[in-house]
Amino acid sequence: MNDVDKLWQLQTVFTALNEREKQMAVKPESFAAVDREYQSVNEEVTRLQQQLDVLGKERRRVDGELADQQELLKKYQGQLMQVKNQQQYAAAWKEIDATRKHVKELEESVLKNMTESEVLQKQLDERKDGHSALQERYDKAHAEWQHSLSDLRKESDQLRAKVTQIETTIPERLKAEFHKIYRQRQQVSVSRVANETCSSCRTRVRPAVSQQLKRGELVHCEGCHRILYLERPTS
């Protein structure tokens, strides 16, 4: 077996390995349905918790401002007793009236915040109450899916071992070239020639190139620059 044959063998093993990995990445519908529900509930729980956190932060801010305004109101009411003329009295009442109005607005804001928080907390509690049962269904479906992958994992491990075995027989320079093309050309480094055409890019293979391939020489496609492989009859 020459180097080109080894490179083709390496390519076929990588192709098979990629196929197994794709199959392992695809979720069966039996698990995918539970997974969608599970992710949706988790996203909803996260959204509700974030909204509660925002309301809680706003509530603390308003509570602080309300306490300040209530202290200010006490101050103005105390000053009212110390005024000396009608003008000062009117000014003091103006400050008291404005502060009372602000206090009322803040108290209404607190009540609104509390109402919204209660609604959100109820929704969050409902989601969490049903989460344990959903978690059990998710874990069971996930375990069944993972169990079904055992054969694919075994095959993948065998293919990886085969890759290592083949690579030990290929010169370092060619191995480096293979992996460079593999990264650049959609994981296809070696392309088979069929009907005098590159099977990857459909570029026509010239007769002179065909002769090189028949001799087992390493040749690159003039179209896609992949390494070409021509299956030769065994003697």
Side-chain angles (χ1 to χ4, degrees):
M1 183 182 294
N2 62 28
D3 288 338
V4 177
D5 291 330
K6 294 175 184 177
L7 291 174
W8 171 250
Q9 187 181 33
L10 182 60
Q11 178 64 63
T12 58
V13 175
F14 265 119
T15 300
L17 177 58
N18 290 336
E19 182 60 31
R20 301 301 187 282
E21 290 178 343
K22 287 179 182 177
Q23 290 174 353
M24 287 191 290
V26 175
K27 300 174 184 177
E29 185 55 34
S30 58
F31 171 68
V34 179
D35 184 51
R36 287 193 296 269
E37 182 182 358
Y38 182 77
Q39 298 302 330
S40 177
V41 170
N42 282 341
E43 290 172 2
E44 179 70 1
V45 167
T46 299
R47 182 185 66 81
L48 291 170
Q49 187 60 62
Q50 288 174 342
Q51 288 181 309
L52 277 170
D53 292 342
V54 170
L55 285 174
K57 183 178 180 180
E58 177 63 13
R59 170 72 182 277
R60 290 189 293 274
R61 185 194 69 79
V62 174
D63 282 344
E65 186 177 353
L66 179 58
D68 291 341
Q69 290 297 311
Q70 287 171 335
E71 285 297 319
L72 192 59
L73 182 58
K74 290 179 182 179
K75 175 184 174 182
Y76 290 149
Q77 289 171 336
Q79 291 175 347
L80 185 64
M81 308 303 294
Q82 302 172 9
V83 297
K84 300 184 184 300
N85 55 55
Q86 188 64 30
Q87 185 178 3
Q88 290 178 344
Y89 187 82
W93 263 112
K94 184 178 180 181
E95 293 290 353
I96 290 172
D97 189 54
T99 305
R100 281 178 174 171
K101 182 179 180 182
H102 193 189
V103 166
K104 183 179 180 181
E105 290 173 349
L106 291 171
E107 288 174 341
E108 290 175 349
S109 178
V110 169
L111 288 174
K112 181 181 178 184
N113 185 294
M114 291 174 62
T115 301
E116 291 178 356
S117 295
E118 287 174 1
V119 172
L120 288 172
Q121 188 63 57
K122 183 179 179 181
Q123 292 176 353
L124 181 60
D125 292 341
E126 289 173 352
R127 300 298 186 278
K128 288 183 175 180
D129 286 344
H131 193 268
S132 58
L134 176 58
Q135 183 73 56
E136 289 180 7
R137 288 196 292 119
Y138 175 86
D139 291 341
K140 180 180 178 182
H142 185 268
E144 290 174 351
W145 174 39
Q146 292 301 305
H147 180 71
S148 70
L149 297 179
S150 58
D151 289 341
L152 284 173
R153 287 199 184 95
K154 183 178 179 180
E155 292 176 16
S156 295
D157 290 341
Q158 292 173 341
L159 289 168
R160 289 189 188 93
K162 186 68 174 177
V163 165
T164 301
Q165 177 187 346
I166 297 171
E167 286 186 337
T168 59
T169 68
I170 299 174
E172 286 297 324
R173 180 185 63 79
L174 285 182
K175 187 166 66 175
E177 182 178 359
F178 176 94
H179 284 287
K180 180 180 179 181
I181 299 172
Y182 189 84
R183 291 190 299 271
Q184 295 175 344
R185 296 292 177 178
Q186 295 80 47
Q187 299 182 326
V188 178
S189 300
V190 185
S191 182
R192 188 171 190 158
V193 174
N195 297 322
E196 299 182 352
T197 302
C198 171
S199 58
S200 293
C201 70
R202 305 304 176 188
T203 296
R204 192 77 176 172
V205 176
R206 294 183 294 109
V209 173
S210 294
Q211 291 302 315
Q212 289 179 281
L213 291 171
K214 290 176 182 178
R215 292 194 295 269
E217 298 178 18
L218 191 146
V219 182
H220 292 82
C221 174
E222 295 175 336
C224 63
H225 306 295
R226 292 179 174 91
I227 298 168
L228 292 175
Y229 172 76
L230 176 66
E231 187 172 6
R232 300 182 304 283
T234 56
S235 55

